[in-house]
Amino acid sequence: MEALRRFATRFSDWATIRDRPSALQSAVMSATCIALALFIWYIVTAGPVEERIVDPITLPSLADTVHSFPKLWFERALARGAIASLGRVLGGFILAAAIAVPLGICAGSFLRLNAFLRPISIFGRNIPIAALIPLTLMWFGLGELQKVMFIFFASVAFIFFDTVRSVEDVPDSYLDAAYTLGAKYVPRHGAKWAAIVGLGYAIVFGAAYYRLAQRPGPNDIELIAAWRIGFAQVSIFGLFLGFVLWFPPLAYQAIQKVLMPLAMPDVVNSLRLLFGLAFGYIMLAEVINADYGLGAIINLSQRQGPREHIYLSLILISLLAFGIDRGILTVQRWCFPYKRMGEQ
Amino acid sequence: MAGVATPLPPCSITEIPRGTPKEGVPPVVEFKGVTKTFNANTSKAFTAIRDVTFSVEDVEGHGEFVAILGPSGCGKSTVLRQIAGLAPHHPPTRGEVLLAGKPITGPGPDRGMVFQDYTSFDNRTVLDNVAFGLECRGIAQKERYELAKEWIAKVKLNPVKDAYKYPHQLSGGMRQRVAIARTLILKPRVILMDEPFGALDPATRHNMQDLLIELWREVQATVFFITHDVNEAVFLGDRCYIFSNSPGTIIHQFRISPPDRPARHIMREKSFLETVYHVREILDGLEEGKT
Ligand SMILES: Nc1ncnc2c1ncn2[C@@H]1O[C@H](COP(=O)(O)OP(=O)(O)OP(=O)(O)O)[C@@H](O)[C@H]1O
Ligand SMILES: [Mg+2]
């Protein structure tokens, strides 16, 4: 009763610009929206098939949709599909972030490098994402590598751009303060830590190659040798890349101790938002060609039915994406207690 | 104070002749005909300061406190940032800025700076903010935390309760205390302060002024202090430079007796008020001279 009274505050609150509702009120408003959507769905698909406002081919009834869940879970292996999709996005996204974040930090600090990379960044952000699918199919074939690389190309320019902007947004006065407090260039410190980070990159790149490159059969000695050489090359490339990308941010104290930590909350925040987008993009690749994964489930449901699965998958995907988003946000708040963010 | 050539009555003023370098030791800071033109050789060329010449001697065991006054936009910050060696004000377009006889090539921890806007690093606790300079020097954590805690106490913050707070949890006055602590902990030869108390209320301001005097006596650095508040300049300064309208140059130099009692006492005395009145006359004249 008390809760209800608290909820029904004066109408003038509703018409007041930026009047903040209580947490309870917000929750009730959101719940009302969901209930309303479900209710409309229920109304337009209620009754026997012939009498429905919307026919079952356009929109299946709420009850049918809910009842088809066990089939989706067990026969279509929803959980396995979700994990597969998530793995692809994570693979491509981590690869993109591993390159674009340090490069963005460098470009945000050294503006000539930024001017040099700007054309690539603009190009990368403006190519239509869908056009990357035929391109990656051409370059990487039909396997897992194509999907990972699709996500990589779809997100790398955006991550780079957001990182540069976050670093540039740190006011000059912080840098001035750092310099007058003695921030300097310490190449030895930079080399040591960049080597350690490079080792991490080598391991990640090596693991990715191990996982994604087609391994030849045990009898094919020549191909196995080639595979091993590829493995070594990729690992060494990772070591080199990690070192080169991280040396400047770790050698300049003004970047390591000031620009990077002050930009980091913004960087992580935009990584969270971009990850949400990338998770949407993977469906695009999976709908077109995949044997398993969430996109494949939707595609299969559309072609072979039941159609209820499409709706159910869409709802579950957005719930999953929302869950991931909240998870990252919680970690973010814990890591950066001095910064309020993601109030949305 | 020891070292001042002639003891002066409280708050009296004497004009000191321009540019009389002493023999032997080079001055701590010396400007020789310094002019700064921004965007030189373009249509947007703008001269911020012209022909600024002064020198501040390094008196044994006693740093001078130089207060800088002048109308808004006359180039006070430009002068200060040139001493700090911060771009884009450094390097000067013409003339020389010398630190202990050597040209300044860039910023360094031997010249600490306290800014008007809060520049505490948001991602660091008070303790880590104060220890920042020591961290850059590569001093071990235990040692730098010990020293930082000492300085947190010296600026009258609570080393137990406040040390682990983040800047956003502090008031404006507390943040400036942090800024002062993190600068003074490095024992700089020269301390540059650009309206550090500009954003504080009068009561907090008085407390901060007393605190600053106390700490300055301890570290004995040469202080350059920009302010718009004539009371503050006359109270804090040993010496006071008044800049002309833009493009700024020094038009008056005074020697003022140093503060020996708390701000709120001195500021009520007749001789103090007379000095303030005199300086204010000059500044008002400059403001009127603006177009
Ligand atoms: N980076 C810059 N580029 C171009 N002009 C500048 C730059 N920095 C300052 N100026 C100009 O130089 C003049 C002097 O600036 P400065 O900041 O030194 O003045 P100030 O005396 O500190 O003023 P205030 O009392 O308002 O702080 C101003 O007119 C300003 O517009
Ligand atoms: Mg200024």
Side-chain angles (χ1 to χ4, degrees):
Chain A
M1 215 41 230
E2 176 58 31
L4 204 67
R5 246 222 347 264
R6 241 185 300 157
F7 179 72
T9 39
R10 287 168 303 133
F11 173 75
S12 66
D13 287 351
W14 290 66
T16 307
I17 294 166
R18 293 212 172 150
D19 184 58
R20 289 195 189 288
S22 67
L24 177 75
Q25 229 175 357
S26 313
V28 170
M29 291 312 296
S30 302
T32 311
C33 174
I34 295 171
L36 195 67
L38 291 177
F39 181 70
I40 292 172
W41 186 0
Y42 174 76
I43 289 291
V44 297
T45 59
V49 175
E50 315 78 52
E51 289 166 26
R52 290 184 190 175
I53 303 172
V54 176
D55 63 289
I57 296 180
T58 313
L59 185 64
S61 81
L62 186 54
D64 289 348
T65 307
V66 171
H67 284 140
S68 75
F69 179 75
K71 191 162 176 255
L72 179 65
W73 184 266
F74 293 110
E75 285 174 34
R76 289 267 153 88
L78 179 72
R80 209 140 51 84
I83 289 171
S85 295
L86 212 56
R88 291 165 179 158
V89 189
L90 267 178
F93 196 78
I94 288 176
L95 188 63
I99 293 171
V101 168
L103 197 62
I105 292 171
C106 293
S109 312
F110 304 105
L111 303 184
R112 283 169 191 81
L113 177 66
N114 191 25
F116 176 77
L117 292 171
R118 191 171 295 136
I120 303 179
S121 157
I122 292 173
F123 177 70
R125 279 180 292 126
N126 288 299
I127 37 172
I129 302 295
L132 284 174
I133 291 181
L135 208 61
T136 48
L137 282 171
M138 254 162 53
W139 288 348
F140 304 105
L142 295 162
E144 286 299 288
L145 186 62
Q146 179 258 334
K147 289 168 194 71
V148 171
M149 291 316 281
F150 167 69
I151 291 298
F152 172 80
F153 283 116
S155 51
V156 71
F158 291 91
I159 299 176
F160 172 76
F161 179 76
D162 279 5
T163 307
V164 171
R165 210 203 33 220
S166 308
V167 174
E168 282 183 330
D169 278 351
V170 176
D172 284 344
S173 52
Y174 288 100
L175 268 188
D176 292 345
Y179 288 139
T180 59
L181 292 169
K184 54 186 186 290
Y185 172 61
V186 194
R188 276 185 53 200
H189 177 272
K192 185 178 123 197
W193 288 101
I196 293 172
V197 176
L199 225 53
Y201 272 51
I203 292 168
V204 171
F205 276 51
Y209 185 86
Y210 191 85
R211 178 93 181 72
L212 294 175
Q214 291 282 320
R215 205 138 31 126
N219 304 323
D220 218 334
I221 300 192
E222 253 174 57
L223 281 180
I224 287 187
W227 186 89
R228 283 197 181 134
I229 290 172
F231 180 76
Q233 277 174 338
V234 167
S235 302
I236 291 169
F237 175 69
L239 179 71
F240 173 77
L241 193 69
F243 185 86
V244 168
L245 288 175
W246 283 101
F247 177 75
L250 295 171
Y252 288 90
Q253 289 182 328
I255 305 180
Q256 188 221 340
K257 296 184 194 298
V258 179
L259 287 185
M260 205 154 65
L262 287 173
M264 212 31 85
D266 275 356
V267 172
V268 175
N269 200 42
S270 71
L271 283 181
R272 176 172 63 87
L273 300 175
L274 287 172
F275 185 81
L277 284 183
F279 193 63
Y281 292 152
I282 192 65
M283 306 298 150
L284 210 60
E286 287 178 344
V287 166
I288 287 174
N289 100 84
D291 301 332
Y292 52 91
L294 291 173
I297 290 176
I298 292 181
N299 195 23
L300 207 64
S301 310
Q302 183 249 324
R303 281 193 279 119
Q304 301 175 2
R307 277 157 198 260
E308 286 84 355
H309 282 181
I310 299 180
Y311 295 91
L312 209 50
S313 303
L314 287 180
I315 294 170
L316 291 171
I317 288 169
S318 37
L319 281 180
L320 182 63
F322 177 73
I324 294 170
D325 185 83
R326 291 292 113 164
I328 303 177
L329 191 61
T330 310
V331 174
Q332 223 176 312
R333 289 203 174 129
W334 181 74
C335 288
F336 311 116
Y338 48 89
K339 193 106 178 175
R340 301 296 312 145
M341 67 186 94
E343 299 301 35
Q344 257 288 31
Chain B
M1 286 224 110
V4 178
T6 44
L8 295 155
C11 299
S12 67
I13 286 182
T14 33
E15 285 273 346
I16 36 181
R18 284 184 62 173
T20 46
K22 273 186 196 155
E23 306 291 315
V25 246
V28 198
V29 176
E30 187 174 13
F31 273 55
K32 283 186 181 166
V34 176
T35 298
K36 178 72 194 184
T37 305
F38 290 106
N39 311 311
N41 306 324
T42 67
S43 57
K44 286 189 292 176
F46 179 84
T47 302
I49 55 170
R50 75 183 143 82
D51 199 23
V52 174
T53 301
F54 67 87
S55 72
V56 177
E57 313 298 330
D58 197 2
V59 188
E60 194 76 37
H62 163 68
E64 259 195 278
F65 203 119
V66 183
I68 298 178
L69 285 166
S72 183
C74 68
K76 303 182 293 296
S77 300
T78 304
V79 167
L80 219 64
R81 292 178 60 96
Q82 281 181 339
I83 302 173
L86 293 171
H89 306 77
H90 167 87
T93 315
R94 255 186 296 120
E96 271 187 305
V97 182
L98 303 174
L99 180 78
K102 294 193 200 75
I104 287 169
T105 53
D110 53 337
R111 284 149 289 145
M113 187 151 180
V114 180
F115 300 82
Q116 173 177 9
D117 43 341
Y118 306 127
T119 51
S120 311
F121 302 118
D122 299 331
N123 59 315
R124 290 170 170 256
T125 59
V126 168
L127 190 62
D128 276 320
N129 260 293
V130 174
F132 182 89
L134 301 176
E135 194 182 315
C136 287
R137 271 185 205 171
I139 290 168
Q141 177 166 321
K142 188 162 168 286
E143 202 179 324
R144 64 173 191 255
Y145 278 180
E146 260 168 39
L147 202 58
K149 280 192 176 152
E150 260 174 51
W151 273 94
I152 290 171
K154 276 183 191 168
V155 294
K156 312 265 159 50
L157 290 173
N158 188 324
V160 182
K161 271 195 274 170
D162 295 330
Y164 298 98
K165 283 185 181 162
Y166 285 98
H168 73 94
Q169 296 166 301
L170 304 178
S171 69
M174 289 163 96
R175 287 195 208 192
Q176 285 314 66
R177 284 170 201 270
V178 174
I180 291 172
R182 76 172 177 187
T183 304
L184 296 192
I185 195 173
L186 299 174
K187 297 272 160 71
R189 284 276 300 285
V190 177
I191 301 169
L192 307 163
M193 303 185 120
D194 195 346
E195 299 183 51
F197 309 144
L200 305 179
D201 65 273
T204 315
R205 228 175 147 123
H206 283 173
N207 290 335
M208 295 295 285
Q209 286 163 359
D210 290 335
L211 174 74
L212 186 60
I213 289 298
E214 195 184 312
L215 294 175
W216 169 59
R217 295 234 161 89
E218 187 181 328
V219 298
Q220 289 302 359
T222 301
V223 180
F224 287 85
F225 191 98
I226 295 181
T227 178
H228 274 120
D229 182 344
V230 179
N231 280 318
E232 193 168 72
V234 174
F235 170 67
L236 292 170
D238 280 330
R239 190 195 276 239
C240 178
Y241 292 158
I242 299 184
F243 275 70
S244 71
N245 281 323
S246 181
T249 190
I250 297 176
I251 46 169
H252 291 282
Q253 305 192 30
F254 304 122
R255 189 169 283 289
I256 306 167
S257 67
D260 44 9
R261 276 151 301 139
R264 58 183 191 288
H265 292 305
I266 290 196
M267 285 187 183
R268 289 205 191 106
E269 278 166 22
K270 190 152 173 285
S271 56
F272 178 87
L273 292 173
E274 270 168 14
T275 311
V276 169
Y277 180 76
H278 180 85
V279 174
R280 199 164 274 156
E281 286 273 273
I282 298 172
L283 285 174
D284 286 348
L286 288 173
E287 285 294 340
E288 273 165 32
K290 268 190 185 176
T291 38

